[in-house]
Amino acid sequence: MINIPSVDLADFLSEDPKRKEKFINEIGNAYEEIGFVALKNHFLSDELVEQLYKEVEKFFQLPKPTKLGYEREELGGQRGYVSFGKEHAKGKKEGDLKEFWHFGQEAAPDADIKDDYPDNVIVEELPDFNKTGMDAYRMLEKTGIYVLRALSLHIGLDEKYFDHWASNGNSILRPIHYPPITSEPENAVRAGAHGDINLITLLMGASAPGLQVQSRDGEWIDAIAKEDELVINVGDMLQRHTNNKLRSTIHRVVNPPRDLWHTSRYSIPFFLHPRSDMKLDCLEECVSEENPKQYDDITAGDFLHQRLVEIGLIKK
């Protein structure tokens, strides 16, 4: 891991107040400075990660017509398959060099969700695909809620401030395939420079390098997690809610050297979203004379819709 702080969730989960405070300070300071950390001792097992990657590779190796049969354009790409080049970074017209799949929330019966989430799309050819994806979804969601608890304490909120909003929230697990590059890309990269939309993103180790993070002085830093770590970053919703106290850092996935164009890259981020009716109004704890309110009031659902239009998944 290069220039991205590593933190240990076991510190936060321990019964030692000093270790818990250490974790809160480390992750809070990292998110104020660079917006990224590497997290070890999360809830995702090595066995589950290995099984998920096997299932994901099998799906993307299916024939193109089979994959296209799982594309649900009427859902704005929020469930099922999204074909190659359809998504682009905000402000760019060139499509990213990737195809991906979306697993979404399956809310608990007592969740009292005002807007029902669409059903997940079932892949008939792969009997273990959906179960494996949702098992990983649950472990990443659990990890993310503990990270948000630490950030709540860092900000000065009740520890479980985010629990209601993040539990049964509109989160997405996105297995991504970056296919081999067969011709010179014209201004296109595997994933253009962007900030994530959501509260936080949890990323398990990718199958190949390529992720880069932009520092405050504009330098691009390679972000390579150890096998047992998750890379976790702040999204635009959390930056907005904390009035820029916590940073949503621009990042990208660059194309490999030409001698590796023939290779695929797989990556699986988990985008932790709140419930759509959560207000993202700037927290009073993050507003001061030195840092006046930077954003207009908006709900998470309205903000998400706005950004999905900007990146090309929903048509105006």
Side-chain angles (χ1 to χ4, degrees), residues 5-71:
S6 180
V7 296
D8 189 343
L9 187 59
D11 288 335
F12 187 72
L13 298 176
S14 78
E15 296 181 2
D16 182 345
K18 290 184 178 179
R19 286 183 65 189
K20 186 172 182 177
E21 187 65 27
K22 173 177 175 286
F23 180 88
I24 294 166
N25 290 335
E26 286 176 345
I27 197 167
N29 292 336
Y31 282 159
E32 288 189 27
E33 290 299 318
I34 194 168
F36 273 75
V37 299
L39 181 92
K40 55 188 173 184
N41 286 317
H42 47 80
F43 297 108
L44 199 63
S45 70
D46 293 342
E47 294 76 18
L48 182 52
V49 171
E50 182 180 358
Q51 182 62 29
L52 180 59
Y53 269 105
K54 284 181 180 177
E55 291 297 317
V56 165
E57 288 188 34
K58 284 191 283 188
F59 172 77
F60 287 115
Q61 289 168 3
L62 290 172
K64 184 176 179 180
T66 303
K67 291 186 290 186
L68 288 173
Y70 291 113
E71 191 153 28

Side-chain angles (χ1 to χ4, degrees), residues 201-226:
T201 300
L202 298 87
L203 176 68
M204 59 191 77
S207 65
L211 177 63
Q212 294 185 334
V213 178
Q214 191 172 43
S215 67
R216 282 190 170 182
D217 60 7
E219 179 186 1
W220 286 102
I221 301 167
D222 290 324
I224 305 171
K226 296 177 182 177

Side-chain angles (χ1 to χ4, degrees), residues 282-306:
C282 297
L283 291 162
E284 61 180 37
E285 290 82 359
C286 301
V287 176
S288 64
E289 288 187 13
E290 297 76 25
N291 185 35
K293 183 179 177 182
Q294 303 290 318
Y295 300 101
D296 293 334
D297 297 346
I298 195 170
T299 65
D302 287 342
F303 183 70
L304 174 61
H305 184 271
Q306 175 182 305

Side-chain angles (χ1 to χ4, degrees), residues 132-166:
T132 304
M134 290 311 296
D135 285 348
Y137 186 109
R138 291 295 169 223
M139 293 300 99
L140 289 161
E141 182 179 56
K142 182 178 179 180
T143 300
I145 287 173
Y146 277 101
V147 169
L148 289 173
R149 287 180 180 181
L151 295 177
S152 295
L153 293 170
H154 176 71
I155 294 165
L157 303 169
D158 178 82
E159 179 174 340
K160 296 185 177 180
Y161 168 79
F162 285 102
D163 278 28
H164 168 76
W165 301 112

Side-chain angles (χ1 to χ4, degrees), residues 84-97 186-189 192-193 309-313 315:
F84 183 82
K86 186 156 289 187
E87 183 180 78
H88 57 79
K90 178 182 175 182
K92 286 196 70 174
K93 63 179 186 295
E94 297 86 9
D96 290 341
L97 306 179
E186 294 187 16
N187 299 317
V189 294
V309 170
E310 291 171 344
I311 65 175
L313 290 182
K315 305 302 180 187

Side-chain angles (χ1 to χ4, degrees), residues 262-276:
H262 65 284
T263 61
S264 284
R265 181 181 190 271
Y266 294 92
S267 176
I268 309 178
F270 178 75
F271 302 115
L272 195 154
H273 283 262
R275 297 176 183 228
S276 297

Side-chain angles (χ1 to χ4, degrees), residues 168-186:
N168 298 296
N170 194 20
S171 299
I172 291 288
L173 180 65
R174 173 189 280 191
I176 306 171
H177 175 222
Y178 303 94
I181 297 172
T182 56
S183 60
E184 186 74 44
E186 294 187 16

